[in-house]
Amino acid sequence: MARPTNREFDFQGINHLALVSSDMARTVEFYSGVLGMPLIKTIDLPRGMGQHFFFDIGNGDSLAFF
């Protein structure tokens, strides 16, 4: 079966995919501890609005959680 061709964009990967987590400690434990994705960056959001954590998924791309 032929793969559809996208004539509008040349997709070459992602920079980061951001998801929402209700328990960052469990998220870190699972993605870093169980799946082995290194936690490479953390950001505290302004005005105590939470955190933004980035896990390395390879090729310079990240999986991020708020």
Side-chain angles (χ1 to χ4, degrees):
M1 182 159 117
R3 187 174 146 203
T5 302
N6 182 331
R7 298 175 196 274
E8 299 295 323
F9 304 99
D10 181 21
F11 294 111
Q12 297 182 3
I14 62 170
N15 175 268
H16 75 276
L17 173 66
L19 303 171
V20 176
S21 170
S22 63
D23 187 334
M24 196 63 79
R26 287 186 69 201
T27 298
V28 171
E29 179 184 325
F30 179 74
Y31 284 92
S32 191
V34 175
L35 297 182
M37 295 179 178
L39 177 62
I40 56 172
K41 185 176 183 178
T42 63
I43 299 172
D44 288 327
L45 300 176
R47 299 181 300 281
M49 296 184 67
Q51 300 168 303
H52 197 106
F53 281 30
F54 294 80
F55 297 90
D56 184 1
I57 59 174
N59 298 322
D61 300 324
S62 301
L63 176 60
F65 284 90
F66 286 99

